mmCIF file of all heavy atoms in Angstrom:
data_model
loop_
_atom_site.group_PDB
_atom_site.id
_atom_site.type_symbol
_atom_site.label_atom_id
_atom_site.label_comp_id
_atom_site.label_asym_id
_atom_site.label_seq_id
_atom_site.Cartn_x
_atom_site.Cartn_y
_atom_site.Cartn_z
ATOM 1 N N VAL A 350 35.405 51.656 48.771
ATOM 2 C CA VAL A 350 36.734 51.304 48.271
ATOM 3 C C VAL A 350 36.630 51.089 46.762
ATOM 4 O O VAL A 350 35.697 50.431 46.293
ATOM 5 C CB VAL A 350 37.246 50.017 48.954
ATOM 6 C CG1 VAL A 350 38.539 49.529 48.308
ATOM 7 C CG2 VAL A 350 37.448 50.264 50.445
ATOM 8 N N THR A 351 37.555 51.673 46.025
ATOM 9 C CA THR A 351 37.599 51.469 44.568
ATOM 10 C C THR A 351 38.702 50.482 44.241
ATOM 11 O O THR A 351 39.811 50.595 44.757
ATOM 12 C CB THR A 351 37.843 52.810 43.850
ATOM 13 O OG1 THR A 351 36.763 53.693 44.156
ATOM 14 C CG2 THR A 351 37.925 52.627 42.343
ATOM 15 N N ILE A 352 38.388 49.511 43.404
ATOM 16 C CA ILE A 352 39.383 48.541 42.943
ATOM 17 C C ILE A 352 39.480 48.661 41.424
ATOM 18 O O ILE A 352 38.483 48.559 40.728
ATOM 19 C CB ILE A 352 38.998 47.080 43.305
ATOM 20 C CG1 ILE A 352 38.519 46.963 44.757
ATOM 21 C CG2 ILE A 352 40.163 46.144 43.037
ATOM 22 C CD1 ILE A 352 37.912 45.599 45.079
ATOM 23 N N GLY A 353 40.704 48.867 40.931
ATOM 24 C CA GLY A 353 40.920 48.891 39.502
ATOM 25 C C GLY A 353 41.173 50.281 38.951
ATOM 26 O O GLY A 353 41.226 51.236 39.727
ATOM 27 N N PRO A 354 41.349 50.374 37.619
ATOM 28 C CA PRO A 354 41.200 49.284 36.656
ATOM 29 C C PRO A 354 42.170 48.146 36.958
ATOM 30 O O PRO A 354 43.370 48.391 37.140
ATOM 31 C CB PRO A 354 41.514 49.903 35.310
ATOM 32 C CG PRO A 354 41.750 51.357 35.544
ATOM 33 C CD PRO A 354 41.796 51.611 37.004
ATOM 34 N N ALA A 355 41.647 46.948 37.019
ATOM 35 C CA ALA A 355 42.453 45.791 37.390
ATOM 36 C C ALA A 355 41.849 44.540 36.757
ATOM 37 O O ALA A 355 40.669 44.537 36.407
ATOM 38 C CB ALA A 355 42.454 45.643 38.907
ATOM 39 N N PRO A 356 42.671 43.504 36.611
ATOM 40 C CA PRO A 356 42.145 42.235 36.101
ATOM 41 C C PRO A 356 41.020 41.729 36.998
ATOM 42 O O PRO A 356 41.004 42.016 38.202
ATOM 43 C CB PRO A 356 43.349 41.289 36.169
ATOM 44 C CG PRO A 356 44.537 42.154 36.278
ATOM 45 C CD PRO A 356 44.095 43.422 36.932
ATOM 46 N N LYS A 357 40.097 40.968 36.414
ATOM 47 C CA LYS A 357 38.950 40.498 37.179
ATOM 48 C C LYS A 357 39.357 39.613 38.358
ATOM 49 O O LYS A 357 38.632 39.541 39.355
ATOM 50 C CB LYS A 357 37.938 39.821 36.247
ATOM 51 C CG LYS A 357 37.226 40.870 35.386
ATOM 52 C CD LYS A 357 36.142 40.347 34.469
ATOM 53 C CE LYS A 357 35.476 41.531 33.733
ATOM 54 N NZ LYS A 357 34.454 41.118 32.756
ATOM 55 N N ALA A 358 40.535 38.976 38.272
ATOM 56 C CA ALA A 358 41.033 38.185 39.399
ATOM 57 C C ALA A 358 41.334 39.082 40.599
ATOM 58 O O ALA A 358 41.045 38.725 41.747
ATOM 59 C CB ALA A 358 42.286 37.407 38.991
ATOM 60 N N SER A 359 41.909 40.267 40.345
ATOM 61 C CA SER A 359 42.206 41.210 41.431
ATOM 62 C C SER A 359 40.923 41.786 42.004
ATOM 63 O O SER A 359 40.817 42.013 43.219
ATOM 64 C CB SER A 359 43.075 42.361 40.932
ATOM 65 O OG SER A 359 44.182 41.874 40.219
ATOM 66 N N ILE A 360 39.963 42.047 41.136
ATOM 67 C CA ILE A 360 38.654 42.525 41.594
ATOM 68 C C ILE A 360 38.048 41.473 42.520
ATOM 69 O O ILE A 360 37.533 41.794 43.602
ATOM 70 C CB ILE A 360 37.703 42.765 40.394
ATOM 71 C CG1 ILE A 360 38.321 43.696 39.371
ATOM 72 C CG2 ILE A 360 36.323 43.212 40.876
ATOM 73 C CD1 ILE A 360 38.137 45.148 39.566
ATOM 74 N N ALA A 361 38.124 40.226 42.086
ATOM 75 C CA ALA A 361 37.558 39.119 42.880
ATOM 76 C C ALA A 361 38.218 39.056 44.254
ATOM 77 O O ALA A 361 37.540 38.901 45.275
ATOM 78 C CB ALA A 361 37.719 37.798 42.135
ATOM 79 N N ALA A 362 39.536 39.191 44.292
ATOM 80 C CA ALA A 362 40.257 39.152 45.574
ATOM 81 C C ALA A 362 39.768 40.270 46.487
ATOM 82 O O ALA A 362 39.534 40.054 47.687
ATOM 83 C CB ALA A 362 41.763 39.258 45.323
ATOM 84 N N GLY A 363 39.584 41.455 45.929
ATOM 85 C CA GLY A 363 39.112 42.597 46.708
ATOM 86 C C GLY A 363 37.694 42.388 47.226
ATOM 87 O O GLY A 363 37.376 42.766 48.359
ATOM 88 N N VAL A 364 36.854 41.784 46.412
ATOM 89 C CA VAL A 364 35.473 41.505 46.834
ATOM 90 C C VAL A 364 35.480 40.513 48.006
ATOM 91 O O VAL A 364 34.793 40.731 49.012
ATOM 92 C CB VAL A 364 34.628 40.949 45.660
ATOM 93 C CG1 VAL A 364 33.283 40.431 46.146
ATOM 94 C CG2 VAL A 364 34.424 42.036 44.595
ATOM 95 N N TRP A 365 36.295 39.462 47.906
ATOM 96 C CA TRP A 365 36.339 38.478 49.000
ATOM 97 C C TRP A 365 36.954 39.079 50.258
ATOM 98 O O TRP A 365 36.552 38.732 51.363
ATOM 99 C CB TRP A 365 37.052 37.191 48.564
ATOM 100 C CG TRP A 365 36.187 36.385 47.644
ATOM 101 C CD1 TRP A 365 36.444 36.057 46.347
ATOM 102 C CD2 TRP A 365 34.898 35.825 47.941
ATOM 103 N NE1 TRP A 365 35.399 35.346 45.817
ATOM 104 C CE2 TRP A 365 34.440 35.190 46.773
ATOM 105 C CE3 TRP A 365 34.076 35.819 49.080
ATOM 106 C CZ2 TRP A 365 33.202 34.536 46.712
ATOM 107 C CZ3 TRP A 365 32.854 35.180 49.013
ATOM 108 C CH2 TRP A 365 32.419 34.548 47.853
ATOM 109 N N ASP A 366 37.927 39.991 50.101
ATOM 110 C CA ASP A 366 38.463 40.693 51.277
ATOM 111 C C ASP A 366 37.332 41.419 52.007
ATOM 112 O O ASP A 366 37.238 41.373 53.240
ATOM 113 C CB ASP A 366 39.535 41.712 50.858
ATOM 114 C CG ASP A 366 40.822 41.057 50.353
ATOM 115 O OD1 ASP A 366 40.994 39.830 50.576
ATOM 116 O OD2 ASP A 366 41.632 41.762 49.726
#
Side-chain angles (χ1 to χ4, degrees):
V350 172
T351 299
I352 314 170
K357 288 183 177 177
S359 310
I360 306 273
V364 170
W365 286 117
D366 290 346

